[in-house]
Amino acid sequence: MSQFPISDGYLPGRFCAPVPSAQGTIDCCLPCPLTDWVYSDRFRSIPEVTNWLNVAGLACCLSLLISYFVLPVEKTSRHYLTVGFVVAVCILQLGFIIPLGARPDQCHDSITPNNMYSDLSCALSGAFLLAGGFAAIMWGFLRSLSLHLQICWKVIPGRKFFWASVLAGCGVPIIFAATAYALTGVSNRFGSTCLLNHENALQDFWGPLLAFAAVSTVLQFATFGYCIKVYIMSLLDDSTTTDNTSTLPSYNSSVKTITAKQAYRRVRKVVALQWRGILIVLIIIVNVAFLSIIFVSMDNTIQTVKKDIHKAEPWLLCLVVHAGDKNKCLDQVGSLVKNEGTMIAALMLLSLNGFWTLLLLGRISLFPAWGTFLRRKFTHKHDFVSVDARRFSADPRNYEMIQSPPQTAYKSSEPHLMSSPADRDSTATFSPSSKSDYFGKEATYASPVLSFSTPVPPSAGVPQQGREWDPESTHAKGSRSNTSGDG
């Protein structure tokens, strides 16, 4: 022990015990890291595999965030509670990704693990893990609270709830993570990602985190219970209204039936829109809470063994007898640490959060929306537009409206039944090369033969008897009598 420094690394992470010998009682320590002695050889690759899964999960979350900020809201259905939750999951995954790039050494020396003061990557990975884990629980709690208010209490969260959620979702995780980081610290005790130390960890970090997770879970199940109650009431009301009786339903029963049906439709609509968010919140809460409980119980077990070393004597003697062959002593270490399968399950579940986030919060409409966005971004249609038209309209939709010929609403092989020769003679032709012909003259208006656009005296609206009508003033054909008389 004297040859190892007592100022660097995480000193409480050493696993040492007094052992009697011929020279007297000496302190013997297990080599670092401790996980290499209490788990099988295959466990060494599990943390790295889970770290790579977090890389893929981070890519899924980032693609979802980019879609939220680029695509229209009707295609993504983004919400500030959803955005905050996805960002929290990204921060959590960074705690597992940083060790992949840094490739840190878990141990400061042969018996001492590294901590946040002796290794920078340990400090960063621990900070992201604490902040991301608490932020994921906090935003999950806010989503659960918002849904509970909408369904159970018919309260629509407004601007006050928005600002309160932003402050709570960002401020509370920072406060608790910073407090635990400063008072407790992080160290390499399980894989390459640094975890919270044991001293004061339960009251500084794990306790508040598990409390928010428990309240969020209670709110979710209370909301589910209310939905089940509303559904059952709607079924009972339907059964009473379909009863074939001769008596008419009373006013009170009819109002109650309408209220129950309206409540059921409202609850069903909200649940249909929010079931993905409900499910992902439950998954993240269960994963983070499960991992927290595993680490807390593992810390407590190790601290108990350190205080009472006699519990580890059978395992230590086995290592001495078999010359340090851990594989022959793994059956005796089961009572000292958590089961290997349980630890692998906790790490795997936590690494799949990014995939669950994209699967449940992403939508099929994102794919055609991205296709439309890319086509508009990289495909340019250049339409020919006259320079003269550009001078009078900046909107391309109005180019074709400048001096366009009149359009007829019907097709006919015969000439118009009513027309004016002056109109036909005054038809102008536009020449793009001559601006004076087009802009220099004022258009003259020739009133047609039959025009009702000028003011008329009130007496003109009274029908007059014996008013003659001259068919020659129009293109209307004469009667047969006139035709025969002319012939």
Side-chain angles (χ1 to χ4, degrees), residues 237 247 296 310:
D237 290 336
T247 60
V296 170
H310 297 288

Side-chain angles (χ1 to χ4, degrees), residues 98-129:
I98 289 177
L100 286 177
R103 295 291 178 180
D105 191 356
Q106 299 183 31
C107 303
H108 183 70
D109 52 43
S110 300
I111 63 174
T112 311
N114 270 317
N115 63 357
M116 61 184 185
Y117 299 107
S118 59
D119 184 64
L120 180 60
S121 63
C122 175
L124 293 177
S125 64
F128 280 113
L129 185 65

Side-chain angles (χ1 to χ4, degrees), residues 102-434:
R103 295 291 178 180
D105 191 356
Q106 299 183 31
C107 303
H108 183 70
D109 52 43
S110 300
I111 63 174
T112 311
N114 270 317
N115 63 357
M116 61 184 185
Y117 299 107
S118 59
D119 184 64
L120 180 60
S121 63
C122 175
L124 293 177
S125 64
F128 280 113
L129 185 65
L130 296 182
F134 209 109
I137 295 295
M138 194 65 198
W139 283 104
F141 164 75
L142 293 173
R143 284 188 62 93
S144 302
L145 179 61
S146 174
L147 188 66
H148 183 76
L149 292 176
Q150 293 181 55
I151 292 181
C152 300
W153 302 98
K154 303 178 183 178
V155 176
I156 304 300
R159 183 172 295 274
K160 293 182 179 179
F161 187 85
F162 166 75
W163 288 112
S165 299
V166 172
L167 293 177
C170 299
V172 174
I174 292 176
I175 292 174
F176 280 100
T179 302
Y181 197 81
L183 300 180
T184 304
V186 294
S187 61
N188 277 113
R189 295 180 298 116
F190 187 80
S192 57
T193 300
C194 284
L195 303 176
L196 195 64
N197 296 330
H198 177 74
E199 294 82 9
N200 302 321
L202 187 60
Q203 56 267 32
D204 292 343
F205 187 81
W206 298 119
L209 183 142
L210 294 176
F212 278 107
V215 174
S216 180
T217 305
V218 170
L219 288 177
Q220 292 281 12
F221 282 105
T223 306
F224 287 155
Y226 179 80
C227 294
I228 294 174
K229 174 187 175 182
V230 170
Y231 177 71
I232 294 176
M233 290 178 59
S234 66
L235 291 179
L236 294 177
D237 290 336
D238 289 340
S239 62
T240 57
T241 55
T242 55
D243 188 13
N244 295 327
T245 58
S246 58
T247 60
L248 294 176
S250 62
Y251 173 77
N252 294 331
S253 62
S254 63
V255 171
K256 181 180 178 181
T257 303
I258 294 176
T259 304
K261 289 182 179 180
Q262 289 178 348
Y264 172 68
R265 286 194 297 266
R266 179 178 56 83
V267 169
R268 183 178 62 181
K269 182 178 180 180
V270 175
V271 172
L273 294 175
Q274 300 290 339
W275 70 270
R276 297 180 181 88
I278 296 172
L279 190 56
I280 188 59
V281 167
L282 287 178
I283 291 175
I284 301 298
I285 288 177
V286 168
N287 291 344
V288 175
F290 178 62
L291 187 65
S292 305
I293 293 173
I294 292 298
F295 286 147
V296 170
S297 61
M298 184 180 67
D299 279 343
N300 293 333
T301 302
I302 293 177
Q303 296 301 320
T304 302
V305 172
K306 286 183 177 181
K307 293 179 181 179
D308 188 6
I309 198 64
H310 297 288
K311 296 182 179 181
E313 282 183 356
W315 173 59
L316 295 175
L317 291 176
C318 179
L319 290 176
V320 173
V321 171
H322 294 90
D325 189 358
K326 67 172 184 179
N327 294 320
K328 296 182 179 180
C329 304
L330 291 177
D331 55 343
Q332 300 184 18
V333 78
S335 60
L336 305 179
V337 294
K338 284 297 179 182
N339 186 19
E340 181 177 335
T342 303
M343 301 303 299
I344 294 175
L347 291 176
M348 287 292 183
L349 288 176
L350 197 61
S351 303
L352 296 176
N353 289 336
F355 299 99
W356 287 116
T357 302
L358 179 62
L359 182 63
L360 294 176
L361 297 182
R363 296 177 178 271
I364 302 298
S365 59
L366 294 178
F367 296 99
W370 270 111
T372 304
F373 175 79
L374 294 177
R375 283 195 302 268
R376 292 179 178 177
K377 193 71 176 179
F378 298 103
T379 303
H380 302 280
K381 294 183 178 180
H382 300 281
D383 296 333
F384 174 77
V385 179
S386 173
V387 177
D388 297 330
R390 291 183 185 274
R391 293 178 54 190
F392 292 91
S393 177
D395 190 356
R397 295 173 297 179
N398 298 332
Y399 291 157
E400 66 274 8
M401 297 179 64
I402 301 179
Q403 192 61 24
S404 58
Q407 302 293 332
T408 57
Y410 57 89
K411 294 183 179 179
S412 177
S413 58
E414 299 181 357
H416 299 295
L417 295 181
M418 296 186 67
S419 62
S420 175
D423 291 340
R424 294 194 301 267
D425 296 338
S426 61
T427 303
T429 58
F430 171 71
S431 176
S433 61
S434 177

Side-chain angles (χ1 to χ4, degrees), residues 74-88:
E74 60 269 10
K75 301 297 182 181
T76 60
S77 299
R78 65 176 180 265
H79 193 268
Y80 66 91
L81 294 176
T82 304
V83 174
F85 184 81
V86 176
V87 172

